[in-house]
């Protein structure tokens, strides 16, 4: 979704022209989406995998530009911080064996990146939500990747808030870190899933995605040690919201809505409402000049201004317009890692549950208050499988009530399987990946659980709290385990290894 921009600084007239073109995009969009051939495609799924590059001590390695140049692979993109890269996986048809394909490509790309970067630059690629060895000093303006878009974002934020600014990663005073640059995004690596959705099903599918995100995130936690501090199981969520979710704007209404978050209400009125909300309620950050209205091979208008504007909003579920002829939902809440198999299992559960919730013209907005769905998301980020989640009435029930997350996820697995089968996913494909998730939930051994327990174990070894050296050892152990095919619920802890005869 990151759109390239040329200029770093912009004049007042740039903003004025850009807003005018955004309004033109909104006027064009209904005609495009209403075209008879738009969105008439088999459902497709893709993913963006954000990675950290770490050195032999488990510390961030700021070598992304060199690694990308050495690999010369168009699937690899630079991220905001110099120690991060993004892998754009090849979209595949949702039917058949899509999760096997995504996991296989992710695995091969991870191996390829490390095979090149380790001997040349001493850095290996690690799929992890938040790197435990990061320090605030690693994410200053000097850590920005030298690309115009990132420096333009830096300047845009400098106009909107003073530095340093507080970033919350956990509870209490110890859960606040002082940051000074948008490079803080380097502490939040995600596994972002894209799903194409026909216009006539977009509204209810988007609402279903919002509801499904809570239990999916509860089972997927992998970011519990930001800056070496014990925090939320998915501390990446508050970190990103505070790092990129400023509330400043040009009007009273705009100032009330952060640019990162779960949202403020159910989507109503079809897909156009989502894009109208993005334009009318959020001010412009990057008013880049107009490019071509269309590109060779793309049958629909590029609507570049709309796409660039959307790329400067970061809701956890984001609408996407593609001039290739489709609308997509970008699921942004899942963390990077621990392994390709784990990420594929998370994806299978999230998409399957979303499909099931939106089946038979159901709209979850009719049976669950939005405030409950929103509460679910942040409870899941904070406490993972130990939290309580609201859920619509199950068969035989008449009221919405709370369920323990691990128990609820187990109850939802058959529904996720039914959703995958509705999408045309092969039965053994659905069963295999959902069984992997079931084993993780039954054991409680998520990536967040493993990191916390490893942190405690390494600290116990020294008789004091784990320091940077122990966090580096934790990260190095994690990285090596992530390079093998075994899913996280089978990983040994450092204490387990020491007890072996």
């Amino acid at each position: 979704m990151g759109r390239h921009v040329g200029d770093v600084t912009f004049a007042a007239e740039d903003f004025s022209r850009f807003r005018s073109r955004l309004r033109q995009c909104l006027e064009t969009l209904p005609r495009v989406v209403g075209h008879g051939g738009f969105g008439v495609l088999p459902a497709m799924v893709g993913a963006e995998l954000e990675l950290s590059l770490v050195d032999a001590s488990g510390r961030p390695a700021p070598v992304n530009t060199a690694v990308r140049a050495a690999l010369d692979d168009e699937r690899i993109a630079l991220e905001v911080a110099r120690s991060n890269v993004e892998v754009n996986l090849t979209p595949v048809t949702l039917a058949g064996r899509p999760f096997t394909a995504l996991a296989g490509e992710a695995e091969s790309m991870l191996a390829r990146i490390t095979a090149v970067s380790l001997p040349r630059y001493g850095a290996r690629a690690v799929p992890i939500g938040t790197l435990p060895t990061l320090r605030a000093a690693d994410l200053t303006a000097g850590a920005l990747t030298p690309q115009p878009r990132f420096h333009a974002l830096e300047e845009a934020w400098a106009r909107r808030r003073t530095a340093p600014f507080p970033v919350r990663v956990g509870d209490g005073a110890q859960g606040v870190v002082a940051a000074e640059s948008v490079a803080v995004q380097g502490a939040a690596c995600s596994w972002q899933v894209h799903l194409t959705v026909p216009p006539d099903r977009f509204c209810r599918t988007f609402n279903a995605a919002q509801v499904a995100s809570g239990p999916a995130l509860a089972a997927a936690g992998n970011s519990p040690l930001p800056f070496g501090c014990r925090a939320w199981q998915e501390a990446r969520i508050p970190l990103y919201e505070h790092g990129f979710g400023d509330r400043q704007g040009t009007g009273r209404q705009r100032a009330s809505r952060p640019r990162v978050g779960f949202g403020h209400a159910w989507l109503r009125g079809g897909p156009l409402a989502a894009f109208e909300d993005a334009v009318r309620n959020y001010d412009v950050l990057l008013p880049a000049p107009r490019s071509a209205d269309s590109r060779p091979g793309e049958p629909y208008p590029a609507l570049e201004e709309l796409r660039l504007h959307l790329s400067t909003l970061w809701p956890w579920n984001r609408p996407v317009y593609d001039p290739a002829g489709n609308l997509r939902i970008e699921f942004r809440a899942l963390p990077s890692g621990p392994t390709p198999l784990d990420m594929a299992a998370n994806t299978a559960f999230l998409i399957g549950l979303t499909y099931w919730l939106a089946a038979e013209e159901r709209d979850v907005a009719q049976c669950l208050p939005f405030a409950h769905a929103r509460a679910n998301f942040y409870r899941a980020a904070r406490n993972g499988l130990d939290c309580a989640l609201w859920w619509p009435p199950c068969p035989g029930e008449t009221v919405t009530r709370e369920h323990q997350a691990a128990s609820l996820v187990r109850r939802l697995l058959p529904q996720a399987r039914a959703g995958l089968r509705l999408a045309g996913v092969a039965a053994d494909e659905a069963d295999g990946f959902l069984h992997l998730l079931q084993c993780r939930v039954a054991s409680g051994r998520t990536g967040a659980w493993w990191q916390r327990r490893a942190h405690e174990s390494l600290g116990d070894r020294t008789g004091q709290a784990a320091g940077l050296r122990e966090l580096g050892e934790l990260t190095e152990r994690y990285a090596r385990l992530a390079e093998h095919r075994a899913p996280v619920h089978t990983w040994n802890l450092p204490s387990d290894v020491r007890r072996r005869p």
Side-chain angles (χ1 to χ4, degrees):
M1 273 294 295
R3 314 298 301 168
H4 294 290
V5 298
D7 295 328
V8 175
T9 58
F10 304 99
E13 54 266 28
D14 295 321
F15 286 90
S16 179
R17 281 194 296 266
F18 193 89
R19 292 187 188 102
S20 176
R21 291 167 185 162
L22 267 179
R23 289 191 291 270
Q24 292 173 15
C25 288
L26 280 185
E27 292 169 0
T28 302
L29 192 61
R31 184 170 65 255
V32 175
V33 173
H35 185 271
F38 188 89
V40 184
L41 297 166
M44 303 286 289
V45 61
E48 305 166 45
L49 172 56
E50 295 174 344
L51 304 169
S52 292
L53 299 170
V54 302
D55 62 20
S57 64
R59 295 272 292 133
V63 294
N64 64 352
T65 55
V67 169
R68 185 194 184 200
L71 286 160
D72 190 26
D73 190 321
E74 63 181 10
R75 291 172 293 178
I76 298 175
L78 298 176
E79 271 295 332
V80 177
R82 292 175 183 262
S83 58
N84 300 121
V85 294
E86 177 182 271
V87 178
N88 294 283
L89 302 182
T90 307
V92 295
T93 304
L94 182 57
R97 303 183 182 279
F99 311 113
T100 296
L102 291 175
E105 187 177 10
E107 183 177 338
S108 66
M109 288 299 293
L110 279 166
R112 183 164 177 252
I113 292 170
T114 295
V116 170
S117 64
L118 188 58
R120 296 192 190 188
Y121 310 109
R124 58 187 349 118
V126 182
I128 191 167
T130 300
L131 196 62
T133 52
L134 277 171
R135 293 295 177 265
D138 298 318
L139 299 172
T140 63
L144 277 177
T145 297
Q147 279 198 337
R149 172 182 168 84
F150 304 139
H151 286 279
L153 282 172
E154 185 83 327
E155 287 209 6
W157 248 262
R159 294 191 300 267
R160 301 164 71 85
R161 63 186 177 193
T162 57
F165 52 89
V167 174
R168 178 161 293 284
V169 297
D171 299 323
Q174 292 185 336
V176 178
V177 175
E180 63 177 65
S181 168
V182 296
V184 73
Q185 183 181 338
C189 291
S190 303
W191 164 258
Q192 297 161 5
V193 177
H194 289 250
L195 176 68
T196 63
V197 182
D200 64 330
R201 298 208 301 266
F202 191 90
C203 185
R204 66 178 187 271
T205 304
F206 189 89
N207 289 340
Q210 294 277 74
V211 173
S213 293
L217 187 63
N222 196 37
S223 314
L225 298 172
F227 304 97
C229 302
R230 187 181 176 99
W232 290 19
Q233 295 206 23
E234 258 309 308
R236 180 182 53 93
I237 300 297
L239 189 156
Y240 200 95
E241 290 195 0
H242 284 81
F244 271 75
D246 85 308
R247 295 171 181 266
Q248 298 184 36
T250 59
R252 183 182 302 271
Q253 187 177 25
R254 289 174 182 171
S256 68
R257 294 184 185 175
R259 301 182 84 90
V260 183
F262 186 77
H264 58 278
W266 294 120
L267 179 62
R268 302 184 189 277
L272 300 181
F275 298 101
E276 290 171 356
D277 177 77
V279 172
R280 301 189 194 285
N281 293 307
Y282 298 90
D283 55 341
V284 173
L285 277 188
L286 303 180
R290 177 186 287 274
S291 58
D293 286 336
S294 61
R295 297 177 180 179
E298 291 182 342
Y300 297 97
L303 302 185
E304 279 289 348
E305 290 81 10
L306 177 64
R307 296 164 71 203
L308 174 58
H309 182 61
L310 287 169
S311 78
T312 65
L313 304 175
W314 299 276
W316 294 114
N317 291 301
R318 179 163 65 178
V320 178
Y321 164 79
D322 190 332
N326 64 74
L327 299 177
R328 302 197 300 271
I329 297 172
E330 182 185 9
F331 301 79
R332 300 175 50 80
L334 294 176
S336 179
T339 69
L341 282 178
D342 289 304
M343 291 183 281
N346 296 339
T347 307
F349 178 67
L350 178 56
I351 289 181
L353 185 56
T354 296
Y355 254 73
W356 185 84
L357 287 170
E360 299 176 358
E361 300 190 2
R362 283 191 294 261
D363 189 346
V364 292
Q366 306 300 321
C367 54
L368 187 72
F370 183 82
H372 285 357
R374 189 178 188 279
N376 283 352
F377 183 80
Y378 293 103
R379 289 179 179 184
R382 183 190 298 269
N383 294 318
L385 291 170
D386 294 327
C387 76
L389 299 177
W390 295 99
W391 203 251
C394 298
E397 299 177 343
T398 58
V399 297
T400 297
R401 66 181 183 90
E402 293 175 291
H403 304 258
Q404 196 267 342
S407 175
L408 178 63
V409 171
R410 289 194 294 269
R411 290 178 59 181
L412 294 176
L413 286 168
Q415 297 175 0
R417 184 188 188 279
L420 293 176
R421 296 297 292 130
L422 284 173
V425 174
D428 59 343
E429 173 90 347
D431 290 344
F433 283 102
L434 293 179
H435 177 71
L436 190 156
L437 189 86
Q438 180 180 14
C439 291
R440 187 198 310 156
V441 172
S443 67
R445 296 173 70 116
T446 63
W449 182 93
W450 187 92
Q451 290 182 59
R452 282 186 172 182
R453 291 300 180 89
H455 184 241
E456 294 167 0
S457 174
L458 292 169
D460 290 344
R461 186 182 63 188
T462 63
Q464 57 187 359
L468 188 57
R469 187 178 69 178
E470 287 76 28
L471 289 168
E473 183 178 343
L474 182 158
T475 302
E476 192 272 340
R477 288 175 182 268
Y478 176 103
R480 292 186 180 278
L481 287 165
E483 289 173 355
H484 296 86
R485 290 185 57 85
V488 69
H489 70 271
T490 68
W491 289 8
N492 285 317
L493 292 166
S495 56
D496 297 332
V497 175
R498 289 200 303 274
R499 284 198 296 265
R500 284 183 176 180

